[in-house]
Amino acid sequence: MHEVVLLLESDPHRGLTGQEAEERLARFGPNDLPSAKGAGLVRRILRQFHHPLIYVLLAAAAITAGLREYVDSAVILGVVLVNALVGFIQESKAEGALDALRTMVQTNARVIRDGHEQTVVSAELVPGDLVILEAGDKVPADVRLIRLAELRIDESALTGESVPVTKDAVALPGAIPVADRHNMAYSGTLVTTGNGAGIVVATGAGTELGEIHRLVGAAETLATPLTKKLAAFSKTLTIVILGLAAATFAVGVLRGQDATETFTAAIALAVGAIPEGLPAAVTITLAIGVSRMARRRAVIRRLPAVETLGSTTVICSDKTGTLTENKMTVRAVWTPNGRYDVTGSGYDITGEVHDADGRPASLEADPALCWSLVAGVGCNDATLTQRDDGWSIIGDPTEAALLVVAAKAGIGVDDVSGRLRRVATIPFGSERQYMATLHEDITRRSEASWFATPQVVLVKGAVERILELCRDQMSTDGTGRPLDRGAVLRAADDLAGQGLRVLATAMWAVDGAEALDPGRFDEGGLRPELTLTGLQAMLDPPRVAAAAAVAACHGAGIAVKMITGDHAATAAAIAAQVGVLGGHEPVSGSVLTGADLAALPAAELPDAVDRASVFARVSPEQKLRLVESLQARGQVVAMTGDGVNDAPALRQAGIGVAMGQTGTEVAKDAADMILTDDDFATVEAAVEEGRGVFDNLTKFITWTLPTNIAEGLVILAAILAGAALPILPTQILWINMTTAVALGLMLAFEPKEAGIMTRPPRDPDQPLLTSRLVTQILLVSALLVAGSWWLFEWEQARGADLAEARTAAVNLFVVVEAFYLFSCRSFTQSAWRIGLFSNRWVIVGVATQAVGQLALTYLPAMNSIFHTAPIGWDTWLRIFAIAVAASLVVAVDKWLRRDRSRAPSR
C-alpha cells in the first residue's frame, strides 16, 4: 500500500490537489474507453455489393440496359438492391458492443482532493486520486484499497465469481489472478456491502475493463460456415458462368452469327446460370429460423448465426446461471447427531429436510438441527420475498439459501424474530471469517422460549474458524458434549469434496450472570465458549434440463466444455452432475485452472484444451485463448457468457450466446444470440433449429441449381447448334424469380427431419454440396435440358410458331421444378412417406405458381411483355408427361442411394 502511494505521489488522507488532478488529466487523458473507428456510411453501403455474383449481376444489368432491355435490367438491379438493403440493416445492428462498454463506465465518483470530499464525473478521475466507495456504488476505476469496513464487491461480470468477493487491504504477491486480488476494486464492478477507500492505479484503457475493451476490438467477427461455403461456391460459379458466357459469344461470332444477338444470348446465359433468388432465399430461410428459435426462447441478433448453430462442434458454456440456476441452495445439513438431505432447488421454499432413512427430519429429536437452522435465520441480513413470478432475494445469495432451508423445515423469519430480538451484530469480515449476532429472549422465558437464558449468540462462518471458538457440540438432548473436532473436519471435507460450499453454525446460551452488553458486543466479547450446532452445505444447483441437454449434445457429436471463474472443485462437481465430464469423475487433464493454462507452452495449449472439459478460475484473456485454440483445430465454437469478461470470447466465437436475464449489455451486444431464459437447454434447442435451417438451405440450393444450369446449357446448346433460343432472357428472369419465391422459399417452412440430433456435426471443411447432391443436381439438369430441347423442337415440328414453342419450354421448366420440389423436401424419404400435406406452404406455393403460369400463357399483356403465346391442352399433356418421367427417374436415383447416405452431412 505504501509503495502504491509513493509511486503515484498521492496522499492516503488528503488525496491529490486540484492542480495535480488537472495536470494528470492532461497527461493521462480522461477515464474513458477509447472509441473505435468504424467504417463510414458510404463504405458500409458499398461493402454490401462486394460479392462475385453481385458483380456479374450488376454488369448484366448495365449491359441489358445498354441494349435497351429495360425490364430485364430493372429486375436484375432490383434483386441486387434488395439484398444490399437487407445486409446493410443487419450489419447496422451488429456493432454495439464497444458503445455499451463505454456507457458502462460513465458514472460519478466521490473523491477526496485538497483534503475535502467532492463528487466528480468518473471521466475526470486520474491515477493517484483517493476514491471513496459505498454500498451500491459502481467502482469508477481500478483502485488499490487502503482502508475498508466489511467491503464486499460483486465482480461476477468481470471474473465470473458467483458470489460477492470480500475485500481486504493487505499486500498480496504480484503474480495472482484478477479474481484473487482481494485488495483491489475494479472498474465496472458493484459494491454490495460495506465501504472503503483506495488509490486509483489505472484509468480508461489501462483498467482491467479497458483490457477487455481492447480484446473485444481485436477479436475478429469470423465468417460463418455458411458464408464461407457460399463465398467459395459463388467464386466457383462466377468463374464457370463467365467462362461459359465468353465461350458462347466466341462460338457464335466464329460461326458468323449476328454479334448483337450472340452477345444477348451470352447475357441470357449468364443471367440464367446465376441463382438470383439465392440471396433472398438465404435471408428469408434464416429469418424463419430466427422466428422458430424465438419461440424456443433464443433471440438471434445476426442472421448467419442461425446456420452457424447447426455447424457447431463445440459448446463452451458458462457455469453460473446457464448450467446452474444461479440460486444458491442448501443440499445437506450435518449435525453432531446425523446428516440430513434437503430437497428442492433455488429460492422456492417447496422441499423437505430428510434424515438418513428418507423420513422428514424431527427438530425435537435433534435440537442441533433446530439451532443450526435458527442460526442461519437469525444471523442473517438477507430478505426472501414472494412475487407473482416466484421467489426473489435481496442480499447475499448464501444467506438467502439459509433462509430457504430453514423455511423447508418449518422455521420462518417471523418465528425467529418473534422470539429472539436482535440487539447487536458482528458483521462478517475476511479476517474474522464469521458473523455473529446477539439476541434477547422476548418471550420472557415462557413456554414458547427456546432456551433458559436471557441472551443467545448465533454464529455462522468458516468451519475452521468456528471450531476455534467452540468448546463443545450439541447432543440429542440439547446439552453440550465434548467437541469431536476430527469428525467435524471429516464431514466438512466430505461435503466440500462434492463441490459444496460449507458453513459452520454455532450458538452460545449466555448465562444471566455473564450477560453481554450490546453496546460492547465485539470480538473481545465473543469468547471460545460456543456450542457447535452443525454444518450447512450448499451449491448453485444444476438446472433441471441441463443434464438431458448436455446428453443430447453429446449424442449429436457436439463436445460440451464448461468455462467458469468459480473454483475447480465446485466446477468439477457441477460438471459431473450435468454430464459435461461424460458421466465420469474428473481424470487427469479433464479439469484445468487458469494457472494451469498460463503454465502451458503455446504449442501444447490446443491439445490440452481439446482434452479438457472443465476450465476454472480463468481470466478474460484465457477465455479468448481457449476459443482461439479450439478454432485452430478446425472447431466451430459456440460460447455462452453473461459478463463483461465474456465479451471478447463471445465475439471471437463462431456463435456468441449471451444471457438475457443476467447478462450485461456488453455481453448481449457482443453476442450473436441471446437466451431469454438463460438455460443451457435452450442452446441445445437452438442447435437443433440451426441444423434444420441448414438442411432447408441445402434443399433450396439443390432444388434451384438444376434450373440455372439447365437454362445456361440450353442457351449454349442453341448457340452451338446455330438454332433459335428455346427461352429468352426475359423468360429466364420470369422462371428464376417467380419459382424462387412461389416454390423454392416454401422449403424454408419445411419441418426438421427425424433424427436430426443423432447426426454428427457437419465437417467445417465439407463443401456446401456433397458429391451425392451434385450428382442429383446434374441428373435433374440433364433431364431439364433434354426435355425442354425435345419439346421445343417437337412443337416447332408440329407447326407451332416460335413464341408457342418457347412458351411450352418455359412451362416445362416450371412444371418440372414443381414436381422436383416435392422430392427435395427430404434428402432420403419420398414425398409420400413424409406426407404431402406435412408442409402446407408447398401446396400454396404450387397453386400460386400455377396461377402465374396460366397468366403468363394466356393473358395478352403477359404475352406482349414476355413474348409468350397460348398453347393447347395437348401441349400441356406432353409437359406433364415429361415432368412425371423426370420425377420417376429422380425417385429411383434417391432410392438407390438411400442405403449409402442417410443425410447430406454424412
Side-chain angles (χ1 to χ4, degrees):
M1 179 179 69
H2 299 294
E3 292 180 2
V4 172
V5 173
L6 290 174
L7 286 172
L8 294 175
E9 299 178 357
S10 184
D11 188 306
H13 303 288
R14 296 182 55 82
L16 299 175
T17 65
Q19 183 178 352
E20 287 174 331
E22 290 181 6
E23 292 173 352
R24 295 188 185 193
L25 185 61
R27 177 178 162 194
F28 294 105
N31 181 32
D32 283 330
L33 296 176
S35 300
K37 291 185 178 180
L41 178 63
V42 175
R43 184 176 178 183
R44 288 168 57 201
I45 293 175
L46 292 177
R47 194 160 53 200
Q48 309 307 318
F49 299 92
H50 182 55
H51 191 283
L53 288 179
I54 297 299
Y55 294 157
V56 176
L57 288 175
L58 287 173
I63 293 171
T64 50
L67 295 175
R68 299 176 182 266
E69 299 289 345
Y70 297 120
V71 174
D72 297 6
S73 179
V75 172
I76 297 171
L77 192 60
V79 171
V80 171
L81 292 176
V82 168
N83 280 285
L85 179 63
V86 171
F88 177 77
I89 292 173
Q90 288 300 317
E91 184 176 306
S92 298
K93 295 179 179 179
E95 300 297 329
L98 297 179
D99 290 336
L101 275 167
R102 285 190 292 274
T103 301
M104 184 177 181
V105 294
Q106 293 304 307
T107 59
N108 290 329
R110 294 167 58 204
V111 300
I112 295 178
R113 290 179 180 171
D114 296 312
H116 300 290
E117 181 181 322
Q118 53 186 285
T119 300
V120 300
V121 177
S122 64
E124 298 177 4
L125 287 180
V126 296
D129 258 328
L130 177 57
V131 174
I132 300 172
L133 300 174
E134 298 278 356
D137 289 347
K138 181 180 289 185
V139 180
D142 284 2
V143 175
R144 170 61 165 92
L145 299 169
I146 59 175
R147 53 182 175 269
L148 50 84
E150 317 305 335
L151 182 64
R152 304 182 75 190
I153 297 180
D154 180 359
E155 296 181 343
S156 59
L158 184 67
T159 67
E161 177 65 55
S162 58
V163 296
V165 178
T166 301
K167 296 294 183 177
D168 57 44
V170 299
L172 297 171
I176 59 174
V178 171
D180 296 326
R181 298 175 192 171
H182 299 313
N183 57 7
M184 290 288 298
Y186 291 104
S187 177
T189 59
L190 298 172
V191 179
T192 58
T193 58
N195 58 76
I199 302 294
V200 174
V201 297
T203 59
T207 63
E208 289 293 329
L209 189 63
E211 175 63 13
I212 294 174
H213 174 276
R214 184 189 65 76
L215 293 172
V216 172
E220 296 286 340
T221 302
L222 298 182
T224 70
L226 176 65
T227 57
K228 291 178 183 177
K229 289 179 173 65
L230 285 177
F233 172 73
S234 299
K235 289 180 181 179
T236 302
L237 188 60
T238 300
I239 294 172
V240 172
I241 289 171
L242 292 177
L244 285 175
T248 300
F249 180 72
V251 169
V253 171
L254 291 175
R255 293 175 62 90
Q257 298 176 6
D258 180 76
T260 301
E261 291 183 1
T262 304
F263 193 72
T264 301
I267 293 297
L269 186 150
V271 172
I274 292 177
E276 291 93 346
L278 180 58
V282 170
T283 300
I284 293 172
T285 303
L286 293 176
I288 292 171
V290 167
S291 177
R292 288 178 174 178
M293 289 185 183
R295 290 196 292 269
R296 302 187 74 170
R297 301 183 179 180
V299 177
I300 298 296
R301 298 186 65 250
R302 300 182 178 95
L303 282 182
V306 179
E307 180 275 332
T308 310
L309 280 163
S311 309
T312 299
T313 58
V314 177
I315 298 176
C316 295
S317 176
D318 192 16
K319 176 184 71 68
T320 304
T322 308
L323 290 169
T324 67
E325 295 185 354
N326 197 22
K327 297 176 181 179
M328 294 300 290
T329 304
V330 174
R331 303 301 293 268
V333 180
W334 179 92
T335 75
N337 310 309
R339 171 171 167 158
Y340 302 88
D341 294 318
V342 184
T343 63
S345 63
Y347 300 133
D348 191 334
I349 63 173
T350 302
E352 293 182 336
V353 181
H354 291 154
D355 62 18
D357 296 324
R359 297 186 299 252
S362 170
L363 301 182
E364 292 77 13
D366 189 355
L369 174 63
C370 178
W371 277 107
S372 181
L373 298 175
V374 168
V377 175
C379 189
N380 198 312
D381 290 325
T383 303
L384 187 67
T385 58
Q386 186 174 19
R387 298 179 178 176
D388 293 338
D389 57 350
W391 293 85
S392 62
I393 67 161
I394 300 174
D396 189 283
T398 299
E399 292 193 325
L402 300 177
L403 296 180
V404 172
V405 68
K408 291 175 180 178
I411 300 176
V413 174
D414 293 340
D415 295 323
V416 176
S417 61
R419 303 186 186 199
L420 305 176
R421 181 175 62 240
R422 181 165 155 179
V423 294
T425 302
I426 299 177
F428 182 88
S430 58
E431 295 180 0
R432 278 190 298 271
Q433 295 187 318
Y434 69 81
M435 174 182 178
T437 52
L438 175 63
H439 301 259
E440 293 182 350
D441 181 9
I442 59 177
T443 63
R444 299 190 182 279
R445 284 177 277 177
S446 66
E447 291 182 1
S449 180
W450 284 344
F451 52 93
T453 60
Q455 291 181 325
V456 65
V457 175
L458 303 177
V459 186
K460 73 172 189 295
V463 176
E464 293 81 359
R465 185 68 178 108
I466 298 300
L467 285 176
E468 293 174 2
L469 297 172
C470 289
R471 66 179 179 184
D472 55 21
Q473 61 190 37
M474 189 171 289
S475 63
T476 55
D477 61 3
T479 61
R481 69 171 187 238
L483 179 65
D484 188 346
R485 182 183 178 88
V488 177
L489 291 175
R490 285 192 298 273
D493 289 341
D494 178 61
L495 293 168
Q498 301 172 40
L500 302 174
R501 298 176 183 269
V502 184
L503 285 179
T505 58
M507 58 89 67
W508 175 19
V510 184
D511 187 86
E514 299 177 337
L516 301 176
D517 180 1
R520 302 181 63 183
F521 183 61
D522 54 21
E523 287 192 65
L526 196 58
R527 300 189 293 273
E529 297 187 15
L530 305 183
T531 297
L532 180 77
T533 56
L535 307 174
Q536 295 197 35
M538 64 191 71
L539 85 165
D540 182 7
R543 287 183 178 268
V544 174
V550 171
C553 288
H554 286 163
I558 302 171
V560 179
K561 298 180 184 292
M562 177 192 291
I563 302 179
T564 178
D566 216 335
H567 295 280
T570 304
I574 295 296
Q577 292 181 51
V578 299
V580 169
L581 293 173
H584 306 290
E585 292 300 316
V587 297
S588 177
S590 64
V591 180
L592 295 177
T593 65
D596 296 331
L597 294 173
L600 280 172
E604 298 178 13
L605 183 64
D607 287 337
V609 170
D610 203 37
R611 289 193 305 269
S613 298
V614 177
F615 302 90
R617 306 299 277 177
V618 294
S619 66
E621 295 91 339
Q622 289 172 329
K623 288 188 177 185
L624 184 57
R625 286 183 65 202
L626 290 174
V627 173
E628 291 172 337
S629 296
L630 290 167
Q631 290 172 335
R633 295 180 67 87
Q635 305 284 9
V636 178
V637 182
M639 172 78 185
T640 74
D642 56 4
V644 178
N645 62 323
D646 297 319
L650 289 175
R651 193 164 197 184
Q652 177 66 32
I655 171 76
V657 184
M659 304 299 109
Q661 295 180 359
T662 60
T664 61
E665 288 303 313
V666 179
K668 293 176 185 177
D669 286 342
D672 304 286
M673 181 176 80
I674 299 173
L675 307 183
T676 60
D677 58 359
D678 293 9
D679 195 339
F680 181 84
T682 304
V683 181
E684 183 266 332
V687 169
E688 182 181 2
E689 293 293 343
R691 289 189 172 192
V693 166
F694 189 86
D695 276 2
N696 290 347
L697 284 174
T698 306
K699 290 172 185 176
F700 176 86
I701 295 171
T702 304
W703 170 83
T704 193
L705 282 186
T707 301
N708 298 112
I709 294 173
E711 288 167 344
L713 291 178
V714 165
I715 298 295
L716 180 60
I719 295 296
L720 293 176
L725 298 179
I727 47 178
L728 297 174
T730 307
Q731 295 168 346
I732 289 174
L733 286 171
W734 167 268
I735 295 171
N736 290 355
M737 297 310 300
T738 59
T739 58
V741 174
L743 300 180
L745 286 181
M746 300 306 104
L747 291 172
F749 298 95
E750 197 64 33
K752 296 182 292 294
E753 296 206 33
I756 197 170
M757 284 300 282
T758 60
R759 306 192 319 227
R762 294 188 311 276
D763 183 349
D765 296 327
Q766 179 178 292
L768 184 63
L769 297 175
T770 63
S771 59
R772 185 183 68 81
L773 292 180
V774 170
T775 302
Q776 179 176 312
I777 290 169
L778 294 177
L779 173 63
V780 178
S781 300
L783 293 172
L784 275 170
V785 171
S788 61
W789 186 269
W790 177 84
L791 183 63
F792 178 72
E793 294 293 335
W794 176 273
E795 294 300 317
Q796 285 189 302
R798 293 183 68 256
D801 62 26
L802 195 58
E804 292 174 339
R806 284 172 172 163
T807 303
V810 169
N811 280 301
L812 175 67
F813 266 93
V814 173
V815 173
V816 171
E817 278 191 278
F819 275 73
Y820 183 48
L821 180 71
F822 287 94
S823 176
C824 288
R825 291 185 56 203
S826 173
F827 293 110
T828 57
Q829 303 296 325
S830 68
W832 302 103
R833 185 174 294 273
I834 63 175
L836 287 176
F837 298 98
S838 58
N839 181 359
R840 298 181 185 276
W841 287 105
V842 169
I843 305 300
V844 173
V846 170
T848 302
Q849 186 68 46
V851 172
Q853 290 308 117
L854 292 175
L856 178 77
T857 304
Y858 296 108
L859 287 182
M862 299 291 280
N863 295 155
S864 176
I865 295 173
F866 291 98
H867 309 290
T868 56
I871 57 177
W873 63 268
D874 56 330
T875 302
W876 283 111
L877 286 178
R878 285 187 287 276
I879 289 172
F880 276 92
I882 295 172
V884 170
S887 296
L888 290 174
V889 173
V890 173
V892 170
D893 175 71
K894 181 187 290 188
W895 178 74
L896 292 174
R897 296 175 182 274
R898 186 174 301 161
D899 292 336
R900 284 178 281 174
S901 178
R902 304 297 298 177
S905 61
R906 294 186 177 182

